[in-house]
Amino acid sequence: MPRILPQVLRNLLRKPATVKYPQVRVEPPKGYRGRPVVDPERCISCWLCIRTCPARAITISKETKKPSIWLGRCIFCGECAEVCPARAITMTKEFEFTTLR
Amino acid sequence: MTFIVPIGPQHPALKEPAFFRFEVKGEEIADVDIRFGYVHRGIEEALQRRDYKHDVYLIERICGICNVVHTTTYCQAIEQLAGVEPPERAKYIRVIILELERIHSHLLWLGIAAHQIGFNTLFMLAWRDRERVMDLREIISGNRVTSATNTIGGVRRDVKPEHVPTILRGLDELEHSTKYYIDLFNSDRTILARCTNVGILTKDDARKFCAVGPLARASGVDTDIRRDHPYAIYDKLSFNVITEREGDVWAKSMVRLREILEAIHIVRQAVKEMPIGPIRIKVNLEIPRNEAIERTEAPRGELFYYALSNGTDSPERVHVRTPTCANFASIKRMFLGGTVAEIPIVIWSIDPCFACNDRVALVDSHTGKTFNLSLKELRKWRH
Amino acid sequence: MEVLSFILGSLVFPGLLFASLIGLLYIGIDRKVTGHMQNRIGPPIWQEFLDVGKLLSKEDITPGAAQSPIFTAAPLVALGAAVTVMLLIPVSSPQPTLTMVADLIVIIYLLNIPAICMMLGGYSSGSPFGATGAGRHVAQLFGYEFVFIIAILVAVVRVGSLGLPTIVNYQAQQGWLILDWRLLPAAIAALVAIQGKLLRVPFDIPEAESEIVHGSLTEYSGPKLAIWRLAYDVETIVVAGLFAALFLGGPTAYVIGGVQIPSIVDFLIKTLAIVLLTTTLRNIMARLRIDQALKFYWTSATLLAIISLVLVLVVP
Ligand code: SF4
Ligand code: SF4
């Protein structure tokens, strides 16, 4: 008898290990490196984040002189959040960026 | 009558583009011609145009599956260039993530190997258990795949004490299921029928073709960089180097499966013995002219880095030799005399990673001939 | 009247429409159960309807090397043959829609047509994968067909008739043939042959996707592939129905607690049970190599069938 048969039959009664993704969501753990967001209120415009970003994803907006993150280039490394002296950048748990337009 | 079976550039047996041109007599393989270069990305050149710190993130993207071992090797090479030593705790954290990476890489391998021999249930179960490791890595480093943990002079993120019980619990579950898979590979008749005496690489051939990693160890060559040239804290940990004698696909599977158990053992030790202390030091990255060589044991075998600094904050040259690159020499020997049915599992038995492997090859598109350029011609070509 | 009922029979019940609906549904159940066996959720049960529907609406791309009438005709002939067999096996009563003398021989012939069409399609597709797949299919055909015929022969010898209705009626009086210990080995051999006929693991060698992409069907796309899928689904039901008629007593009507249960329900339950059995088998094994599969068929499986045949002939 094949060795895997008992496991296969037991799986029939078990709860599946997968979830129906768009309806059921698994919350990422604490400290997940999701989408970085800039808090313009706290930012002191030191532009350290721009120099640190390895993907050159951060640009400065002309009017406000505050940084803004171009998600198309961002690699979610978290360096900008780490380096910011004013803690103006935080990594959120958000990881779904595709949108229906 | 021979005819050509083209495996690639796109084929279900290949997870990345490469081209295997098989000359087949009926079902039997008469000859094979291998061609790479579809995913060459020019990373070595790009590394020279960024500074040392930014390079870490580019290095991380050489290979998705074994990204930590790449960054660890790179960081160790640069630390060697700069003449600094990362703190003790950082080395422990590196080892923990490195070994978790080995577990996940080998489980991924197991899943796809099962798929190649048509055993889809084992494929799904192996990948279900792989999710446990991915979860642990997500907890520790903040992402499932690219860990972004290593930096020059240490690691960026600490393993917090509250994570330790979760890690240990996850390891227990993994140990349980790995033992089950080992049992399965030892007893299931169809797996044995497909894996034994297939794609054999003898010990002499493994030596001759300079095979590395699990491929060499499955042929009985006792080599492991972790033991032979310990880096990080591997000299303080106890672990066995797994070898098998047969050199067939079954032996390669067994080496990988038993290495998972060893990796679990290593992570347990490292988590328990981790000293308290800083996790990173500041490194002055204007490194005077110096060169460094670093070797580590990636999940697929020996990973080799060469780095040359020139006094600025970006490297003059970084050279990478990945384990797959070393292992491709042996693959032709493993095919000859086999059948078409063995192609997928034999290709997969060396655990190839084409993206890390690809180099530029110059091919005349009319005649199909490859040729070499001298350095002088290359310079002329560049301008 | 005769003609009208025949047309109705071949197009609606138990022909094309009924067979496709049940076939698609059962393959959907098969995929769902496979999902759960592999500890995942799996596709919804009607996924096969969606897949075939989508394929039907897609553009048909035929590679330049495959522009032959054979390539186009192959899926249609296969579907036609499978549906014809549906008319020959008992579905809603012991009496099939079409009756003829020695209908088992016709069934055996017709059941080979989808496989032969698949080979022709593969050879005419001009792709090395198609050719390799077709070559493997020929080899495998010689493996399972022999076992399948001997296993059927055992039942025929036991009952003493080549007509399916007679075999079904015999079982209604004497009990299911599979419960007879002399025929049990033959039933097992027939099941193994079915596994090979339906190209399911461990005998999915002719369409081993990691080796030769999709074997003979590699170059098919769009509506033609949809018809292939349909033909395969109908063939599954047909083969399961044949097995049920031969060894499991065929469709019978019951009365449980005063409620009359029509024999069509019995047919559905029995075929589903057989499909689920093959589902289980395909989820607990790795694919064999063609030489290993042939060796298995020609030794163990043939031996089982022949033992059964000898037992039936010798033991009264
Ligand atoms: S590092 Fe922080 S404070 Fe400085 S510019 Fe960036 S977001 Fe603003
Ligand atoms: S997360 Fe990394 S890549 Fe993204 S903006 Fe911050 S520093 Fe740049």
Side-chain angles (χ1 to χ4, degrees), chain A residues 38-47 49 65-67 84 86 88:
Chain A
V38 187
D39 180 359
E41 304 285 292
R42 300 186 81 165
C43 175
I44 52 173
S45 301
C46 69
W47 300 352
C49 51
K65 306 283 183 231
K66 301 272 154 103
C84 174

Side-chain angles (χ1 to χ4, degrees), chain B residues 44-45 47-48 306-310 314-320:
Chain B
E44 285 181 7
E45 167 77 22
L47 287 173
Q48 295 163 20
Y306 167 79
L308 178 66
S309 59
N310 59 359
S314 56
E316 170 90 14
R317 179 87 175 94
V318 177
H319 175 71
V320 187

Side-chain angles (χ1 to χ4, degrees), chain C residues 4-17 83-84 87 97:
Chain C
L4 193 70
S5 85
F6 175 72
I7 290 176
L8 214 63
S10 53
L11 286 184
V12 182
F13 180 88
L16 189 60
L17 190 68
V83 171
T84 316
L87 303 181
T97 317

Side-chain angles (χ1 to χ4, degrees), chain C:
Chain C
M1 206 55 223
E2 193 99 318
V3 177
L4 193 70
S5 85
F6 175 72
I7 290 176
L8 214 63
S10 53
L11 286 184
V12 182
F13 180 88
L16 189 60
L17 190 68
F18 173 76
S20 329
L21 286 181
I22 297 298
L24 291 172
L25 182 70
Y26 277 14
I27 297 297
I29 293 176
D30 165 68
R31 288 171 66 178
K32 181 84 184 167
V33 170
T34 299
H36 278 278
M37 280 180 170
Q38 296 171 350
N39 209 353
R40 53 191 177 86
I41 295 175
I45 283 173
W46 55 86
Q47 184 65 40
E48 195 71 8
F49 288 95
L50 304 180
D51 283 358
V52 170
K54 183 167 183 183
L55 280 176
L56 276 175
S57 68
K58 286 236 166 188
E59 183 194 1
D60 181 19
I61 302 164
T62 310
Q67 306 279 14
S68 74
I70 298 179
F71 186 78
T72 317
L76 289 169
V77 176
L79 181 63
V83 171
T84 316
V85 186
M86 195 71 191
L87 303 181
L88 285 170
I89 59 168
V91 175
S92 56
S93 72
Q95 206 61 29
T97 317
L98 277 181
T99 29
M100 48 181 82
V101 213
D103 49 1
L104 263 174
I105 296 190
V106 181
I107 291 177
I108 290 174
Y109 270 111
L110 281 177
L111 271 183
N112 275 329
I113 289 182
I116 291 167
C117 289
M118 211 182 239
M119 289 167 213
L120 289 176
Y123 275 128
S124 62
S125 71
S127 139
F129 301 117
T132 318
R136 288 176 172 198
H137 210 147
V138 176
Q140 183 160 319
L141 185 81
F142 282 112
Y144 66 72
E145 202 53 34
F146 186 53
V147 179
F148 194 60
I149 291 175
I150 296 185
I152 291 179
L153 198 64
V154 177
V156 170
V157 169
R158 180 86 196 98
V159 179
S161 160
L162 268 172
L164 261 186
T166 328
I167 294 178
V168 172
N169 285 331
Y170 175 87
Q171 292 182 77
Q173 284 144 26
Q174 312 276 338
W176 296 359
L177 284 182
I178 198 172
L179 299 178
D180 187 340
W181 62 273
R182 285 164 293 184
L183 278 107
L184 190 62
I188 295 173
L191 201 67
V192 171
I194 286 178
Q195 196 79 359
K197 229 180 174 42
L198 297 180
L199 303 186
R200 289 178 161 226
V201 182
F203 307 114
D204 64 336
I205 306 156
E207 53 171 32
E209 58 153 9
S210 56
E211 292 159 20
I212 47 172
V213 190
H214 202 174
S216 307
L217 304 190
T218 305
E219 300 297 344
Y220 281 97
S221 61
K224 287 195 197 114
L225 188 60
I227 293 173
W228 268 124
R229 290 275 286 273
L230 214 54
Y232 174 80
D233 296 352
V234 173
E235 197 192 348
T236 309
I237 298 302
V238 162
V239 173
L242 179 64
F243 185 87
L246 281 175
F247 294 103
L248 298 182
T252 359
Y254 297 100
V255 181
I256 299 176
V259 185
Q260 178 83 20
I261 295 178
S263 41
I264 176 86
V265 177
D266 191 43
F267 173 83
L268 292 181
I269 292 173
K270 278 171 181 164
T271 42
L272 182 61
I274 293 160
V275 170
L276 288 183
L277 203 58
T278 59
T279 310
T280 317
L281 282 180
R282 91 179 165 112
N283 279 318
I284 56 175
M285 275 182 247
R287 180 192 310 124
L288 292 172
R289 275 200 318 261
I290 186 76
D291 53 321
Q292 292 162 343
L294 288 183
K295 199 168 147 232
F296 173 78
Y297 273 126
W298 285 335
T299 54
S300 321
T302 314
L303 203 65
L304 266 182
I306 289 185
I307 287 176
S308 194
L309 186 62
V310 171
L311 281 177
V312 167
L313 287 174
V314 174
V315 185

Side-chain angles (χ1 to χ4, degrees), chain A residues 36 49 52-55 57-58 69 73-81 91:
Chain A
C49 51
T52 320
C53 178
I58 307 184
I69 294 171
R73 279 199 81 118
C74 176
I75 56 171
F76 311 102
C77 62
E79 284 276 3
C80 51
M91 305 298 282

Side-chain angles (χ1 to χ4, degrees), chain A residues 2-4 7-8 11 14 17 28-33 51-54 56 73 75-79 82, chain B residues 50 53-54 57 61 119 121-122 125 128 138-139 141-143 146-148 156-157 180 183-184 187-188 280:
Chain A
R3 200 70 183 66
I4 206 169
Q7 168 96 26
V8 161
N11 281 346
R14 272 170 60 177
K30 209 167 138 257
Y32 182 78
R33 297 194 316 268
R51 278 216 316 213
T52 320
C53 178
R56 299 177 203 147
R73 279 199 81 118
I75 56 171
F76 311 102
C77 62
E79 284 276 3
E82 202 177 290
Chain B
R50 287 169 169 73
K53 265 188 98 175
H54 290 178
Y57 295 97
R61 276 148 187 85
F119 203 154
T121 309
L122 183 56
L125 294 184
R128 176 196 69 189
E138 198 175 26
I139 291 170
S141 70
N143 205 318
T146 41
S147 75
R156 287 176 52 204
R157 209 187 256 242
Y180 177 72
D183 190 22
L184 207 60
S187 60
D188 191 285
R280 68 194 282 187

